[in-house]
Amino acid sequence: GAGVSQSPSNKVTEKGKDVELRCDPISGHTALYWYRQSLGQGLEFLIYFQGNSAPDKSGLPSDRFSAERTGGSVSTLTIQRTQQEDSAVYLCASSLLAGAYNEQFFGPGTRLTVL
Amino acid sequence: DAKTTQPTSMDCAEGRAANLPCNHSTISGNEYVYWYRQIHSQGPQYIIHGLKNNETNEMASLIITEDRKSSTLILPHATLRDTAVYYCIAGSSNTGKLIFGQGTTLQVKP
Protein backbone atom coordinates (compact mmCIF):
# COMPACT_ATOMS: atom_id res chain seq x y z
CA GLY A 1 0.00 0.00 0.00
CA ALA A 2 0.97 3.65 -0.20
CA GLY A 3 3.38 4.93 2.37
CA VAL A 4 3.71 8.37 3.91
CA SER A 5 4.07 11.03 1.26
CA GLN A 6 5.36 14.56 1.60
CA SER A 7 5.33 17.56 -0.67
CA PRO A 8 7.17 19.35 -1.99
CA SER A 9 10.28 17.21 -2.01
CA ASN A 10 12.44 20.33 -2.21
CA LYS A 11 11.65 23.93 -1.34
CA VAL A 12 13.92 26.92 -1.76
CA THR A 13 12.72 30.16 -0.27
CA GLU A 14 14.02 33.57 0.68
CA LYS A 15 14.57 34.64 4.23
CA GLY A 16 11.43 36.19 5.66
CA LYS A 17 8.96 34.29 3.47
CA ASP A 18 6.37 31.84 4.81
CA VAL A 19 6.40 28.18 3.74
CA GLU A 20 3.93 25.33 4.01
CA LEU A 21 4.99 21.70 4.02
CA ARG A 22 2.47 18.94 3.49
CA CYS A 23 2.26 15.40 4.82
CA ASP A 24 -0.13 12.65 3.75
CA PRO A 25 0.00 9.87 6.32
CA ILE A 26 -0.82 6.23 5.74
CA SER A 27 -4.58 5.79 5.54
CA GLY A 28 -6.04 4.77 8.88
CA HIS A 29 -3.08 5.92 10.96
CA THR A 30 -4.30 8.04 13.83
CA ALA A 31 -0.95 9.40 14.97
CA LEU A 32 1.16 11.82 12.94
CA TYR A 33 4.56 13.25 13.79
CA TRP A 34 6.84 15.95 12.45
CA TYR A 35 10.61 15.89 12.87
CA ARG A 36 13.42 17.86 11.31
CA GLN A 37 17.01 17.03 10.54
CA SER A 38 19.55 19.77 10.06
CA LEU A 39 22.73 19.15 8.10
CA GLY A 40 24.91 16.70 9.98
CA GLN A 41 22.52 16.61 12.91
CA GLY A 42 20.25 14.00 14.35
CA LEU A 43 16.50 14.06 14.11
CA GLU A 44 14.66 16.59 16.24
CA PHE A 45 11.05 16.02 17.32
CA LEU A 46 8.75 18.94 16.54
CA ILE A 47 5.08 18.06 17.10
CA TYR A 48 2.71 15.13 17.12
CA PHE A 49 -1.02 14.62 16.66
CA GLN A 50 -3.07 11.77 18.05
CA GLY A 51 -6.67 11.51 16.95
CA ASN A 52 -8.76 14.39 18.23
CA SER A 53 -6.51 15.10 21.20
CA ALA A 54 -4.65 18.37 21.52
CA PRO A 55 -1.30 18.09 19.74
CA ASP A 56 1.97 17.82 21.63
CA LYS A 57 3.80 20.94 20.48
CA SER A 58 6.66 20.64 22.91
CA GLY A 59 9.31 20.34 20.21
CA LEU A 60 8.45 23.41 18.15
CA PRO A 61 11.51 25.69 18.25
CA SER A 62 9.67 29.00 18.11
CA ASP A 63 6.23 30.55 17.62
CA ARG A 64 7.05 30.91 13.92
CA PHE A 65 6.34 27.20 13.61
CA SER A 66 2.82 25.80 13.61
CA ALA A 67 1.07 22.71 12.33
CA GLU A 68 -2.44 21.60 11.59
CA ARG A 69 -4.00 18.27 10.91
CA THR A 70 -7.30 18.50 9.09
CA GLY A 71 -9.90 15.77 9.29
CA GLY A 72 -7.53 13.49 11.10
CA SER A 73 -5.54 12.94 7.94
CA VAL A 74 -3.40 15.42 6.01
CA SER A 75 -1.11 17.68 8.01
CA THR A 76 0.53 20.99 7.12
CA LEU A 77 3.60 22.38 8.86
CA THR A 78 3.85 26.15 8.45
CA ILE A 79 6.97 28.18 9.07
CA GLN A 80 6.46 31.93 9.12
CA ARG A 81 9.17 34.49 8.41
CA THR A 82 11.71 31.80 7.60
CA GLN A 83 15.28 32.16 8.81
CA GLN A 84 18.43 30.56 7.47
CA GLU A 85 18.65 28.31 10.53
CA ASP A 86 15.31 26.78 9.47
CA SER A 87 17.10 25.08 6.58
CA ALA A 88 16.74 21.34 7.16
CA VAL A 89 14.98 18.20 5.99
CA TYR A 90 11.51 18.07 7.50
CA LEU A 91 10.27 14.54 8.03
CA CYS A 92 6.75 13.37 8.68
CA ALA A 93 5.85 10.01 10.18
CA SER A 94 2.63 8.23 11.02
CA SER A 95 1.68 5.27 13.15
CA LEU A 96 -1.48 3.30 13.64
CA LEU A 97 -1.78 4.57 17.19
CA ALA A 98 0.37 6.77 19.37
CA GLY A 99 2.45 4.90 21.88
CA ALA A 100 5.82 3.40 22.33
CA TYR A 101 4.90 0.08 20.78
CA ASN A 102 3.71 1.46 17.50
CA GLU A 103 6.08 1.49 14.59
CA GLN A 104 6.43 4.88 12.96
CA PHE A 105 6.54 5.00 9.18
CA PHE A 106 8.52 7.92 7.82
CA GLY A 107 8.04 9.81 4.61
CA PRO A 108 10.90 10.82 2.32
CA GLY A 109 11.06 14.33 3.74
CA THR A 110 10.98 17.87 2.40
CA ARG A 111 14.34 19.55 2.01
CA LEU A 112 13.93 23.23 2.89
CA THR A 113 16.60 25.71 1.94
CA VAL A 114 16.30 29.29 3.17
CA LEU A 115 18.52 31.71 1.26
CA ASP B 1 12.65 10.18 27.98
CA ALA B 2 15.82 8.42 29.04
CA LYS B 3 19.10 9.42 27.43
CA THR B 4 20.87 6.79 25.34
CA THR B 5 24.57 6.48 24.60
CA GLN B 6 25.93 4.77 21.49
CA PRO B 7 29.36 4.54 19.88
CA THR B 8 29.78 7.09 17.11
CA SER B 9 30.81 4.59 14.48
CA MET B 10 31.46 0.90 13.87
CA ASP B 11 32.69 -1.26 11.03
CA CYS B 12 31.52 -4.74 10.18
CA ALA B 13 32.60 -7.22 7.53
CA GLU B 14 29.96 -8.27 5.05
CA GLY B 15 28.33 -11.56 6.05
CA ARG B 16 29.36 -11.22 9.68
CA ALA B 17 27.09 -10.34 12.58
CA ALA B 18 26.94 -6.67 13.49
CA ASN B 19 26.49 -6.05 17.21
CA LEU B 20 25.49 -2.50 18.04
CA PRO B 21 25.51 -1.57 21.73
CA CYS B 22 23.41 1.02 23.51
CA ASN B 23 23.47 2.27 27.08
CA HIS B 24 20.27 3.56 28.66
CA SER B 25 21.08 3.48 32.36
CA THR B 26 18.31 5.94 33.34
CA ILE B 27 15.51 4.11 31.53
CA SER B 28 12.26 3.99 33.46
CA GLY B 29 9.98 1.04 33.85
CA ASN B 30 7.48 2.04 31.20
CA GLU B 31 9.99 3.07 28.55
CA TYR B 32 10.58 0.84 25.57
CA VAL B 33 13.85 0.48 23.71
CA TYR B 34 13.50 1.10 19.99
CA TRP B 35 15.90 0.83 17.15
CA TYR B 36 15.56 2.72 13.91
CA ARG B 37 18.03 3.14 11.10
CA GLN B 38 18.51 5.79 8.47
CA ILE B 39 20.10 4.96 5.19
CA HIS B 40 21.67 7.94 3.47
CA SER B 41 19.11 10.43 2.10
CA GLN B 42 16.13 8.38 3.25
CA GLY B 43 13.70 8.68 6.14
CA PRO B 44 14.30 6.52 9.20
CA GLN B 45 13.14 2.93 9.14
CA TYR B 46 11.86 1.00 12.12
CA ILE B 47 13.85 -2.10 13.01
CA ILE B 48 12.68 -3.53 16.31
CA HIS B 49 11.61 -2.63 19.82
CA GLY B 50 11.40 -4.28 23.21
CA LEU B 51 10.54 -3.70 26.84
CA LYS B 52 12.10 -6.46 28.93
CA ASN B 53 12.40 -9.60 26.87
CA ASN B 54 14.72 -10.27 24.00
CA GLU B 55 13.05 -9.83 20.65
CA THR B 56 13.69 -11.15 17.16
CA ASN B 57 12.16 -10.33 13.82
CA GLU B 58 13.12 -10.78 10.21
CA MET B 59 15.56 -7.89 10.35
CA ALA B 60 17.36 -8.20 13.66
CA SER B 61 17.50 -9.37 17.24
CA LEU B 62 17.37 -7.17 20.30
CA ILE B 63 19.06 -8.30 23.49
CA ILE B 64 18.13 -6.32 26.61
CA THR B 65 20.05 -6.85 29.83
CA GLU B 66 18.12 -7.99 32.86
CA ASP B 67 18.53 -4.62 34.59
CA ARG B 68 17.47 -2.91 31.34
CA LYS B 69 20.37 -0.49 31.52
CA SER B 70 21.75 -1.54 28.16
CA SER B 71 20.85 -3.40 25.01
CA THR B 72 22.44 -4.75 21.84
CA LEU B 73 21.02 -4.80 18.35
CA ILE B 74 22.24 -7.75 16.34
CA LEU B 75 22.15 -7.90 12.55
CA PRO B 76 22.98 -11.58 12.06
CA HIS B 77 24.44 -11.41 8.56
CA ALA B 78 25.28 -7.86 7.63
CA THR B 79 25.13 -6.84 3.98
CA LEU B 80 26.38 -3.73 2.24
CA ARG B 81 22.78 -2.45 2.24
CA ASP B 82 22.86 -2.39 6.03
CA THR B 83 25.29 0.53 5.97
CA ALA B 84 23.35 3.26 7.79
CA VAL B 85 23.05 5.31 10.95
CA TYR B 86 21.45 3.22 13.69
CA TYR B 87 19.49 4.98 16.41
CA CYS B 88 18.73 3.52 19.81
CA ILE B 89 15.86 5.31 21.53
CA ALA B 90 14.27 4.92 24.94
CA GLY B 91 10.73 6.15 24.60
CA SER B 92 7.64 6.62 26.69
CA SER B 93 4.87 4.11 26.38
CA ASN B 94 2.35 6.94 26.62
CA THR B 95 3.34 8.74 23.46
CA GLY B 96 5.11 7.80 20.32
CA LYS B 97 7.39 10.81 20.51
CA LEU B 98 10.89 9.64 19.59
CA ILE B 99 13.90 11.53 20.88
CA PHE B 100 16.76 10.66 18.56
CA GLY B 101 20.40 10.89 19.62
CA GLN B 102 23.37 10.96 17.28
CA GLY B 103 23.25 7.23 16.59
CA THR B 104 25.95 4.82 15.43
CA THR B 105 27.17 4.97 11.86
CA LEU B 106 27.61 1.36 10.79
CA GLN B 107 29.82 0.78 7.79
CA VAL B 108 29.58 -2.70 6.32
CA LYS B 109 32.67 -3.48 4.29
CA PRO B 110 33.16 -6.09 1.58
Side-chain angles (χ1 to χ4, degrees), chain A residues 16-94:
Chain A
K17 301 278 190 180
D18 298 351
V19 295
E20 285 188 353
L21 312 180
R22 177 186 168 105
C23 172
D24 284 84
I26 293 172
S27 177
H29 280 195
T30 65
L32 185 147
Y33 310 82
W34 284 98
Y35 298 85
R36 75 174 176 182
Q37 187 167 32
S38 304
L39 186 64
Q41 299 296 311
L43 290 103
E44 177 187 4
F45 165 78
L46 297 177
I47 186 171
Y48 97 93
F49 299 86
Q50 167 58 45
N52 296 322
S53 302
D56 178 341
K57 305 179 183 179
S58 60
L60 295 179
S62 77
D63 58 8
R64 296 186 295 105
F65 288 71
S66 63
E68 289 185 342
R69 188 178 185 194
T70 53
S73 181
V74 171
S75 177
T76 302
L77 178 69
T78 301
I79 309 173
Q80 296 178 309
R81 304 180 302 282
T82 52
Q83 303 294 312
Q84 289 183 331
E85 60 263 29
D86 299 334
S87 295
V89 176
Y90 288 81
L91 290 154
C92 175
S94 71

Side-chain angles (χ1 to χ4, degrees), chain B residues 72-109:
Chain B
T72 301
L73 179 75
I74 301 171
L75 307 178
H77 305 287
T79 71
L80 299 178
R81 288 192 299 265
D82 292 323
T83 292
V85 179
Y86 286 76
Y87 296 99
C88 169
I89 302 159
S92 168
S93 61
N94 296 323
T95 78
K97 183 167 74 175
L98 300 176
I99 307 300
F100 288 81
Q102 294 303 306
T104 295
T105 300
L106 175 68
Q107 181 74 46
V108 180
K109 297 185 174 181

Side-chain angles (χ1 to χ4, degrees), chain A residues 103, chain B residues 45-48 55-61 74-77 82:
Chain A
E103 175 184 354
Chain B
Q45 175 192 23
Y46 166 85
I47 302 173
I48 199 167
E55 302 288 343
T56 296
N57 63 21
E58 65 278 3
M59 288 182 70
S61 295
I74 301 171
L75 307 178
H77 305 287
D82 292 323

